[in-house]
Amino acid sequence: MFVPGGAAHILHADLDAFYASVEQRDDPRLRGRPVIVGGGVVLACSYEAKRRGVRTAMGGRQARALCPEAIVVPPRMSAYSAASKAVFEIFRDTTPVVEGLSIDEAFLDVGGLYRIAGAPVGIAERLRDRVRADVGLAITVGVARTKFLAKVASGVAKPDGLLLVPPDEELQFLHRLPVERLWGVGTVTAAKLHAHRVTTVGQVARLGEATLVSLLGEGQGRHLHALAHNRDPRPVVVGRRRRSIGAQRALGRGPHPRPFVEAVLAELVDRVSRRMRTAGRTGRTVVLRLRFADFTRVTRSHTLQRPTSHTQTLLDAVRRLHEAAVSDIANRGLTLVGIAVANLDNDDSLQLELPFDVTSGAELDTALDRVRDRFGSAALTRASLLGRRQGPTVPLLPD
Protein backbone atom coordinates (compact mmCIF):
# COMPACT_ATOMS: atom_id res chain seq x y z
CA MET A 1 0.00 0.00 0.00
CA PHE A 2 1.44 3.37 -1.02
CA VAL A 3 1.73 5.75 1.93
CA PRO A 4 4.09 8.64 1.20
CA GLY A 5 6.68 9.14 3.89
CA GLY A 6 4.89 6.85 6.34
CA ALA A 7 2.07 9.38 6.60
CA ALA A 8 -0.95 9.00 8.82
CA HIS A 9 -3.35 6.92 6.71
CA ILE A 10 -5.83 5.29 9.11
CA LEU A 11 -9.13 7.02 9.83
CA HIS A 12 -11.29 6.29 12.84
CA ALA A 13 -14.76 7.63 12.06
CA ASP A 14 -17.26 7.81 14.92
CA LEU A 15 -20.78 9.23 14.77
CA ASP A 16 -21.50 11.67 17.59
CA ALA A 17 -24.11 10.68 20.22
CA PHE A 18 -25.60 8.47 17.52
CA TYR A 19 -29.11 7.57 18.75
CA ALA A 20 -29.75 11.05 20.16
CA SER A 21 -28.40 12.71 17.02
CA VAL A 22 -30.80 10.72 14.84
CA GLU A 23 -33.67 11.88 17.06
CA GLN A 24 -32.54 15.51 16.79
CA ARG A 25 -32.13 15.16 13.04
CA ASP A 26 -35.67 13.82 12.60
CA ASP A 27 -37.39 16.21 15.02
CA PRO A 28 -36.28 19.85 14.74
CA ARG A 29 -37.87 20.62 18.12
CA LEU A 30 -35.16 18.54 19.80
CA ARG A 31 -32.19 20.35 18.28
CA GLY A 32 -30.05 22.19 20.78
CA ARG A 33 -31.96 20.66 23.68
CA PRO A 34 -30.98 17.86 26.10
CA VAL A 35 -32.33 14.58 24.77
CA ILE A 36 -32.41 11.21 26.51
CA VAL A 37 -33.19 8.06 24.52
CA GLY A 38 -34.86 5.43 26.70
CA GLY A 39 -36.91 5.97 29.83
CA GLY A 40 -36.09 3.42 32.54
CA VAL A 41 -32.41 3.31 31.56
CA VAL A 42 -30.51 5.81 29.42
CA LEU A 43 -29.64 4.13 26.12
CA ALA A 44 -28.08 7.31 24.73
CA CYS A 45 -28.12 11.05 25.32
CA SER A 46 -27.27 14.20 23.45
CA TYR A 47 -24.23 16.34 24.25
CA GLU A 48 -26.55 18.91 25.83
CA ALA A 49 -27.58 16.22 28.34
CA LYS A 50 -24.02 14.96 28.77
CA ARG A 51 -22.94 18.42 29.87
CA ARG A 52 -25.39 18.07 32.77
CA GLY A 53 -23.82 14.78 33.88
CA VAL A 54 -26.16 12.33 32.14
CA ARG A 55 -24.42 9.18 30.93
CA THR A 56 -25.33 6.08 28.96
CA ALA A 57 -26.66 3.17 31.10
CA MET A 58 -27.59 5.58 33.91
CA GLY A 59 -30.96 5.02 35.56
CA GLY A 60 -33.71 7.21 34.17
CA ARG A 61 -34.62 8.67 37.58
CA GLN A 62 -31.04 9.75 38.24
CA ALA A 63 -30.73 11.20 34.73
CA ARG A 64 -33.89 13.29 35.12
CA ALA A 65 -32.70 14.53 38.53
CA LEU A 66 -29.46 15.75 36.93
CA CYS A 67 -31.25 17.27 33.95
CA PRO A 68 -34.93 17.98 34.74
CA GLU A 69 -35.47 19.78 31.43
CA ALA A 70 -34.33 16.77 29.38
CA ILE A 71 -36.71 15.46 26.72
CA VAL A 72 -37.07 11.69 26.98
CA VAL A 73 -37.88 9.84 23.77
CA PRO A 74 -38.38 6.10 23.13
CA PRO A 75 -35.76 4.32 21.02
CA ARG A 76 -36.40 3.83 17.30
CA MET A 77 -34.03 1.03 16.37
CA SER A 78 -35.16 0.85 12.75
CA ALA A 79 -34.23 4.52 12.26
CA TYR A 80 -30.78 3.98 13.78
CA SER A 81 -30.21 0.90 11.63
CA ALA A 82 -31.16 2.80 8.45
CA ALA A 83 -28.85 5.69 9.34
CA SER A 84 -25.98 3.28 10.05
CA LYS A 85 -26.40 1.54 6.71
CA ALA A 86 -26.36 4.89 4.89
CA VAL A 87 -23.15 5.95 6.66
CA PHE A 88 -21.42 2.63 5.97
CA GLU A 89 -22.28 2.98 2.29
CA ILE A 90 -20.36 6.27 2.36
CA PHE A 91 -17.46 4.56 4.16
CA ARG A 92 -17.26 1.85 1.49
CA ASP A 93 -17.61 4.43 -1.27
CA THR A 94 -14.61 6.24 0.24
CA THR A 95 -12.32 3.20 0.44
CA PRO A 96 -12.74 -0.56 0.06
CA VAL A 97 -10.71 -1.10 3.24
CA VAL A 98 -13.32 -0.63 5.99
CA GLU A 99 -13.39 -2.43 9.34
CA GLY A 100 -16.63 -1.86 11.20
CA LEU A 101 -16.43 -1.77 14.99
CA SER A 102 -20.09 -1.10 15.72
CA ILE A 103 -23.05 0.43 13.91
CA ASP A 104 -21.69 3.94 14.50
CA GLU A 105 -17.91 3.63 14.11
CA ALA A 106 -15.30 2.12 11.81
CA PHE A 107 -11.66 2.17 10.80
CA LEU A 108 -10.85 3.14 7.21
CA ASP A 109 -7.45 2.70 5.55
CA VAL A 110 -6.99 5.34 2.84
CA GLY A 111 -3.25 4.93 2.31
CA GLY A 112 -3.70 3.45 -1.16
CA LEU A 113 -5.80 6.38 -2.35
CA TYR A 114 -3.14 9.09 -2.20
CA ARG A 115 -2.62 9.40 -5.98
CA ILE A 116 -6.33 9.41 -6.86
CA ALA A 117 -7.93 11.09 -3.81
CA GLY A 118 -5.19 13.13 -2.18
CA ALA A 119 -3.97 13.30 1.39
CA PRO A 120 -5.81 11.37 4.12
CA VAL A 121 -6.86 14.53 5.98
CA GLY A 122 -8.56 15.81 2.81
CA ILE A 123 -10.34 12.49 2.41
CA ALA A 124 -11.49 12.77 6.03
CA GLU A 125 -12.81 16.28 5.43
CA ARG A 126 -14.83 15.15 2.40
CA LEU A 127 -16.13 12.14 4.34
CA ARG A 128 -17.41 14.35 7.13
CA ASP A 129 -19.02 16.74 4.64
CA ARG A 130 -20.76 13.90 2.83
CA VAL A 131 -22.12 12.25 5.98
CA ARG A 132 -23.49 15.63 7.04
CA ALA A 133 -25.03 16.35 3.61
CA ASP A 134 -26.36 12.87 2.75
CA VAL A 135 -27.33 11.47 6.15
CA GLY A 136 -27.75 14.62 8.21
CA LEU A 137 -25.44 13.56 11.04
CA ALA A 138 -22.22 14.85 12.56
CA ILE A 139 -19.24 12.50 12.53
CA THR A 140 -15.85 12.88 14.17
CA VAL A 141 -12.71 11.55 12.48
CA GLY A 142 -9.26 10.90 13.88
CA VAL A 143 -6.35 10.41 11.46
CA ALA A 144 -3.11 8.68 12.47
CA ARG A 145 -0.60 5.98 11.51
CA THR A 146 -2.05 3.37 13.90
CA LYS A 147 -5.55 2.20 14.71
CA PHE A 148 -5.04 2.92 18.39
CA LEU A 149 -3.92 6.50 17.89
CA ALA A 150 -6.61 7.21 15.28
CA LYS A 151 -9.27 6.15 17.80
CA VAL A 152 -7.68 8.25 20.53
CA ALA A 153 -7.60 11.23 18.15
CA SER A 154 -11.28 10.94 17.34
CA GLY A 155 -12.09 10.75 21.05
CA VAL A 156 -10.13 13.94 21.71
CA ALA A 157 -11.75 15.70 18.72
CA LYS A 158 -15.35 15.00 19.75
CA PRO A 159 -17.90 16.29 19.12
CA ASP A 160 -18.07 17.01 15.38
CA GLY A 161 -14.33 17.35 14.92
CA LEU A 162 -11.39 16.28 12.80
CA LEU A 163 -7.94 15.71 14.27
CA LEU A 164 -4.78 14.69 12.42
CA VAL A 165 -1.85 13.39 14.46
CA PRO A 166 1.30 13.86 12.32
CA PRO A 167 3.90 11.07 12.65
CA ASP A 168 6.51 13.40 14.14
CA GLU A 169 4.10 14.58 16.85
CA GLU A 170 2.60 11.24 17.93
CA LEU A 171 4.25 10.80 21.31
CA GLN A 172 4.00 14.51 22.12
CA PHE A 173 0.24 14.29 21.53
CA LEU A 174 -0.22 10.96 23.28
CA HIS A 175 1.89 11.44 26.39
CA ARG A 176 0.02 14.48 27.69
CA LEU A 177 -3.31 12.61 27.76
CA PRO A 178 -4.78 11.00 30.91
CA VAL A 179 -4.20 7.26 31.38
CA GLU A 180 -7.91 6.64 30.81
CA ARG A 181 -7.33 7.26 27.09
CA LEU A 182 -5.41 3.99 26.81
CA TRP A 183 -7.43 1.01 25.59
CA GLY A 184 -8.01 -1.36 28.48
CA VAL A 185 -7.75 1.22 31.25
CA GLY A 186 -11.03 1.17 33.10
CA THR A 187 -11.94 2.21 36.60
CA VAL A 188 -9.98 -0.53 38.36
CA THR A 189 -6.77 -0.18 36.32
CA ALA A 190 -6.91 3.61 36.52
CA ALA A 191 -7.22 3.40 40.32
CA LYS A 192 -4.13 1.15 40.51
CA LEU A 193 -2.13 3.60 38.40
CA HIS A 194 -3.38 6.64 40.30
CA ALA A 195 -2.37 4.96 43.56
CA HIS A 196 1.21 5.11 42.26
CA ARG A 197 0.75 8.72 41.13
CA VAL A 198 0.59 7.74 37.48
CA THR A 199 -2.03 9.92 35.81
CA THR A 200 -0.79 10.54 32.25
CA VAL A 201 0.17 8.30 29.33
CA GLY A 202 3.66 9.82 29.41
CA GLN A 203 4.13 8.63 32.98
CA VAL A 204 3.01 5.14 31.92
CA ALA A 205 5.61 5.18 29.14
CA ARG A 206 8.36 6.20 31.55
CA LEU A 207 7.57 3.45 34.05
CA GLY A 208 9.01 0.73 31.86
CA GLU A 209 7.48 -2.61 30.92
CA ALA A 210 8.79 -4.56 33.92
CA THR A 211 7.26 -2.11 36.39
CA LEU A 212 3.90 -2.16 34.60
CA VAL A 213 3.92 -5.95 34.59
CA SER A 214 4.57 -6.02 38.34
CA LEU A 215 1.69 -3.58 38.92
CA LEU A 216 -0.91 -4.93 36.51
CA GLY A 217 0.10 -8.43 35.47
CA GLU A 218 1.97 -9.61 32.39
CA GLY A 219 -0.77 -9.26 29.77
CA GLN A 220 -2.08 -5.88 30.85
CA GLY A 221 1.38 -4.49 31.64
CA ARG A 222 2.86 -5.37 28.25
CA HIS A 223 -0.27 -4.16 26.47
CA LEU A 224 -0.23 -0.71 28.10
CA HIS A 225 3.53 -0.34 27.66
CA ALA A 226 3.14 -0.92 23.91
CA LEU A 227 0.23 1.50 23.57
CA ALA A 228 1.99 4.19 25.60
CA HIS A 229 4.70 4.11 22.91
CA ASN A 230 2.09 3.95 20.10
CA ARG A 231 3.13 0.46 19.11
CA ASP A 232 0.10 -1.02 17.36
CA PRO A 233 0.90 -3.07 14.24
CA ARG A 234 -2.69 -4.17 13.56
CA PRO A 235 -3.88 -3.46 10.01
CA VAL A 236 -7.42 -2.45 9.08
CA VAL A 237 -9.10 -5.77 8.26
CA VAL A 238 -12.11 -6.13 5.96
CA GLY A 239 -14.73 -8.74 6.81
CA ARG A 240 -13.27 -9.86 10.12
CA ARG A 241 -15.71 -12.15 11.90
CA ARG A 242 -16.59 -11.60 15.52
CA ARG A 243 -14.60 -13.41 18.20
CA SER A 244 -17.66 -13.40 20.45
CA ILE A 245 -21.39 -12.77 20.16
CA GLY A 246 -23.23 -11.23 23.08
CA ALA A 247 -26.04 -9.06 24.36
CA GLN A 248 -26.67 -7.08 27.50
CA ARG A 249 -29.45 -5.20 29.23
CA ALA A 250 -29.29 -2.32 31.67
CA LEU A 251 -31.71 -2.84 34.55
CA GLY A 252 -31.66 0.38 36.56
CA ARG A 253 -30.90 0.42 40.26
CA GLY A 254 -33.60 -2.01 41.39
CA PRO A 255 -33.84 -3.97 43.60
CA HIS A 256 -34.53 -6.74 41.07
CA PRO A 257 -36.17 -9.99 42.16
CA ARG A 258 -34.30 -13.14 41.21
CA PRO A 259 -37.07 -14.43 38.87
CA PHE A 260 -36.87 -11.14 36.95
CA VAL A 261 -33.09 -11.46 36.49
CA GLU A 262 -33.49 -15.08 35.40
CA ALA A 263 -36.11 -14.04 32.85
CA VAL A 264 -33.82 -11.33 31.46
CA LEU A 265 -30.98 -13.83 31.15
CA ALA A 266 -33.27 -16.22 29.26
CA GLU A 267 -34.23 -13.39 26.91
CA LEU A 268 -30.56 -12.58 26.27
CA VAL A 269 -29.65 -16.23 25.65
CA ASP A 270 -32.53 -16.57 23.17
CA ARG A 271 -31.27 -13.49 21.34
CA VAL A 272 -27.61 -14.54 21.28
CA SER A 273 -28.18 -18.17 20.30
CA ARG A 274 -30.44 -17.14 17.42
CA ARG A 275 -27.79 -14.71 16.16
CA MET A 276 -25.20 -17.48 16.33
CA ARG A 277 -27.33 -19.86 14.28
CA THR A 278 -28.12 -17.15 11.74
CA ALA A 279 -24.40 -16.45 11.36
CA GLY A 280 -23.50 -20.14 11.21
CA ARG A 281 -21.36 -19.96 14.37
CA THR A 282 -20.89 -22.19 17.41
CA GLY A 283 -19.00 -21.42 20.59
CA ARG A 284 -17.51 -23.08 23.66
CA THR A 285 -17.05 -20.37 26.28
CA VAL A 286 -20.12 -18.86 27.96
CA VAL A 287 -19.57 -15.52 29.70
CA LEU A 288 -21.79 -13.75 32.25
CA ARG A 289 -21.17 -10.05 32.85
CA LEU A 290 -22.59 -8.19 35.85
CA ARG A 291 -22.52 -4.53 36.83
CA PHE A 292 -23.30 -3.82 40.45
CA ALA A 293 -25.02 -0.81 42.03
CA ASP A 294 -21.66 0.90 42.64
CA PHE A 295 -20.97 0.49 38.87
CA THR A 296 -18.11 -1.96 39.40
CA ARG A 297 -18.16 -4.93 37.04
CA VAL A 298 -17.34 -8.62 37.23
CA THR A 299 -17.12 -11.32 34.59
CA ARG A 300 -17.67 -15.04 35.07
CA SER A 301 -17.15 -17.70 32.41
CA HIS A 302 -17.53 -21.43 31.81
CA THR A 303 -16.07 -23.44 28.92
CA LEU A 304 -18.22 -26.24 27.55
CA GLN A 305 -16.90 -29.62 26.43
CA ARG A 306 -17.76 -28.92 22.79
CA PRO A 307 -18.93 -25.89 20.76
CA THR A 308 -22.65 -25.34 20.39
CA SER A 309 -25.36 -22.85 19.48
CA HIS A 310 -28.05 -24.88 21.26
CA THR A 311 -30.21 -22.50 23.28
CA GLN A 312 -30.88 -24.75 26.25
CA THR A 313 -27.23 -25.77 26.63
CA LEU A 314 -26.14 -22.14 26.68
CA LEU A 315 -28.96 -21.19 29.06
CA ASP A 316 -28.03 -23.97 31.50
CA ALA A 317 -24.45 -22.66 31.60
CA VAL A 318 -25.62 -19.07 32.15
CA ARG A 319 -27.93 -20.19 34.96
CA ARG A 320 -25.05 -21.95 36.73
CA LEU A 321 -22.90 -18.83 36.47
CA HIS A 322 -25.78 -16.70 37.80
CA GLU A 323 -26.38 -19.11 40.68
CA ALA A 324 -22.75 -18.72 41.73
CA ALA A 325 -23.13 -14.92 41.76
CA VAL A 326 -26.45 -14.69 43.65
CA SER A 327 -24.89 -13.78 47.00
CA ASP A 328 -22.77 -11.02 45.45
CA ILE A 329 -25.86 -9.63 43.71
CA ALA A 330 -27.83 -9.66 46.95
CA ASN A 331 -25.07 -7.76 48.77
CA ARG A 332 -24.07 -5.31 46.04
CA GLY A 333 -27.18 -4.79 43.92
CA LEU A 334 -27.37 -5.17 40.15
CA THR A 335 -27.72 -2.57 37.39
CA LEU A 336 -26.75 -4.51 34.24
CA VAL A 337 -26.50 -8.10 33.03
CA GLY A 338 -24.89 -9.36 29.87
CA ILE A 339 -24.03 -12.68 28.31
CA ALA A 340 -21.65 -13.62 25.53
CA VAL A 341 -20.42 -16.74 23.79
CA ALA A 342 -16.73 -16.79 22.83
CA ASN A 343 -14.25 -19.22 21.26
CA LEU A 344 -16.40 -19.14 18.16
CA ASP A 345 -16.08 -21.41 15.16
CA ASN A 346 -18.08 -22.11 12.02
CA ASP A 347 -20.89 -24.57 12.63
CA ASP A 348 -19.75 -26.72 9.69
CA SER A 349 -16.57 -27.52 11.63
CA LEU A 350 -18.55 -29.15 14.45
CA GLN A 351 -17.43 -32.75 14.90
CA LEU A 352 -20.27 -35.22 15.43
CA GLU A 353 -19.93 -37.65 18.32
CA LEU A 354 -21.19 -41.19 18.77
CA PRO A 355 -23.82 -42.19 19.58
CA PHE A 356 -25.78 -39.86 17.28
CA ASP A 357 -28.68 -38.22 19.11
CA VAL A 358 -31.57 -37.54 16.78
CA THR A 359 -33.40 -35.58 19.48
CA SER A 360 -30.57 -33.25 20.43
CA GLY A 361 -32.78 -30.18 20.76
CA ALA A 362 -31.49 -28.51 17.62
CA GLU A 363 -34.78 -29.32 15.92
CA LEU A 364 -36.68 -27.15 18.40
CA ASP A 365 -34.26 -24.26 17.86
CA THR A 366 -34.64 -24.58 14.10
CA ALA A 367 -38.43 -24.61 14.31
CA LEU A 368 -38.53 -21.57 16.58
CA ASP A 369 -36.09 -19.69 14.31
CA ARG A 370 -38.30 -20.36 11.29
CA VAL A 371 -41.41 -19.08 13.03
CA ARG A 372 -39.64 -15.92 14.22
CA ASP A 373 -38.08 -15.33 10.80
CA ARG A 374 -41.51 -15.50 9.19
CA PHE A 375 -43.70 -13.75 11.76
CA GLY A 376 -41.25 -11.60 13.77
CA SER A 377 -39.27 -12.01 16.96
CA ALA A 378 -42.31 -11.43 19.17
CA ALA A 379 -44.32 -14.25 17.57
CA LEU A 380 -43.04 -16.74 20.17
CA THR A 381 -41.76 -16.04 23.65
CA ARG A 382 -41.03 -17.89 26.87
CA ALA A 383 -43.76 -18.14 29.48
CA SER A 384 -41.39 -16.54 31.99
CA LEU A 385 -41.29 -13.43 29.80
CA LEU A 386 -45.05 -13.00 29.46
CA GLY A 387 -46.17 -9.68 30.88
CA ARG A 388 -42.59 -8.44 31.20
CA ARG A 389 -41.29 -5.55 29.13
CA GLN A 390 -38.36 -6.82 27.12
CA GLY A 391 -35.35 -4.66 26.36
CA PRO A 392 -34.94 -3.13 22.89
CA THR A 393 -33.03 -5.10 20.28
CA VAL A 394 -30.03 -2.94 19.46
CA PRO A 395 -29.02 -2.83 15.78
CA LEU A 396 -25.70 -4.53 15.12
CA LEU A 397 -23.19 -5.08 12.37
CA PRO A 398 -23.47 -8.50 10.66
CA ASP A 399 -22.02 -11.32 12.77
Side-chain angles (χ1 to χ4, degrees):
M1 183 167 293
F2 176 74
V3 183
H9 60 98
I10 295 177
L11 278 55
H12 178 258
D14 193 0
L15 290 159
D16 298 329
F18 180 46
Y19 291 3
S21 294
V22 172
E23 298 299 336
Q24 291 176 319
R25 178 198 67 181
D26 293 347
D27 186 349
R29 296 172 299 177
L30 301 179
R31 295 172 190 169
R33 304 179 68 181
V35 175
I36 294 174
V37 179
V41 175
V42 177
L43 295 178
C45 59
S46 67
Y47 280 95
E48 294 85 358
K50 289 181 179 182
R51 284 192 285 269
R52 299 292 299 275
V54 180
R55 294 292 181 266
T56 300
M58 179 179 286
R61 182 179 302 174
Q62 181 184 3
R64 288 188 291 272
L66 290 169
C67 188
E69 68 274 25
I71 302 171
V72 180
V73 299
R76 297 182 303 131
M77 296 304 176
S78 60
Y80 312 145
S81 180
S84 173
K85 289 177 181 177
V87 171
F88 268 79
E89 287 179 6
I90 295 174
F91 290 164
R92 286 186 282 267
D93 195 40
T94 300
T95 174
V97 189
V98 177
E99 180 182 338
L101 299 179
S102 66
I103 65 164
D104 59 355
E105 64 173 319
F107 287 116
L108 296 81
D109 192 327
V110 299
L113 304 177
Y114 193 87
R115 289 192 177 96
I116 61 174
V121 69
I123 296 172
E125 289 172 346
R126 293 192 294 274
L127 172 68
R128 281 171 31 82
D129 290 343
R130 187 172 170 193
V131 170
R132 172 77 74 178
D134 294 359
V135 191
L137 296 174
I139 190 165
T140 296
V141 181
V143 187
R145 283 192 311 118
T146 65
K147 291 168 75 171
F148 161 66
L149 200 58
K151 186 172 174 69
V152 170
S154 70
V156 172
K158 278 187 168 291
D160 194 16
L162 169 61
L163 179 58
L164 165 69
V165 183
D168 59 350
E169 299 178 16
E170 289 174 344
L171 296 185
Q172 178 184 347
F173 165 77
L174 182 61
H175 284 179
R176 61 183 172 83
L177 298 176
V179 293
E180 287 81 0
R181 289 289 185 181
L182 292 172
W183 281 356
V185 176
T187 304
V188 174
T189 302
K192 291 179 181 179
L193 293 171
H194 290 171
H196 290 81
R197 298 182 180 179
V198 177
T199 60
T200 69
V201 176
Q203 290 172 318
V204 172
R206 289 189 291 273
L207 277 181
E209 185 176 287
T211 302
L212 285 169
V213 167
S214 68
L215 289 176
L216 306 173
E218 183 174 0
Q220 182 80 327
R222 296 179 65 182
H223 168 74
L224 294 188
H225 182 263
L227 292 185
H229 291 85
N230 192 33
R231 292 199 290 266
D232 179 13
R234 298 169 305 152
V236 177
V237 178
V238 180
R240 171 175 287 170
R241 303 201 77 182
R242 294 179 185 271
R243 289 177 291 182
S244 67
I245 294 178
Q248 64 183 27
R249 181 173 170 187
L251 305 177
R253 287 195 168 270
H256 306 293
R258 182 171 176 177
F260 169 76
V261 176
E262 292 175 344
V264 171
L265 291 173
E267 173 197 347
L268 296 177
V269 170
D270 283 343
R271 190 181 301 178
V272 167
S273 62
R274 185 182 176 199
R275 282 177 55 198
M276 293 174 65
R277 292 188 293 272
T278 299
R281 312 297 298 278
T282 58
R284 289 189 61 201
T285 302
V286 181
V287 181
L288 174 67
R289 296 189 176 97
L290 305 172
R291 187 183 68 198
F292 299 119
D294 60 0
F295 285 87
T296 58
R297 297 172 182 261
V298 297
T299 300
R300 301 285 185 265
S301 65
H302 172 72
T303 299
L304 304 169
Q305 288 186 344
R306 55 182 180 269
T308 185
S309 60
H310 181 214
T311 302
Q312 191 59 49
T313 301
L314 298 174
L315 181 57
D316 289 344
V318 167
R319 284 173 171 165
R320 289 193 293 270
L321 293 170
H322 175 235
E323 177 67 31
V326 164
S327 61
D328 283 339
I329 293 172
N331 293 330
R332 303 172 65 182
L334 187 65
T335 60
L336 179 145
V337 293
I339 69 109
V341 181
N343 286 339
L344 296 181
D345 207 339
N346 296 329
D347 59 6
D348 57 7
S349 66
L350 183 63
Q351 181 176 348
L352 298 177
E353 297 185 358
L354 292 173
F356 296 138
D357 184 358
V358 297
T359 58
S360 63
E363 296 82 4
L364 177 59
D365 283 340
T366 300
L368 294 175
D369 289 346
R370 288 174 176 171
V371 171
R372 288 166 173 155
D373 288 343
R374 183 172 181 181
F375 299 106
S377 299
L380 289 170
T381 190
R382 294 175 178 270
S384 61
L385 298 175
L386 290 174
R388 300 183 187 274
R389 187 176 65 181
Q390 298 187 33
T393 300
V394 177
L396 300 163
L397 292 175
D399 293 311

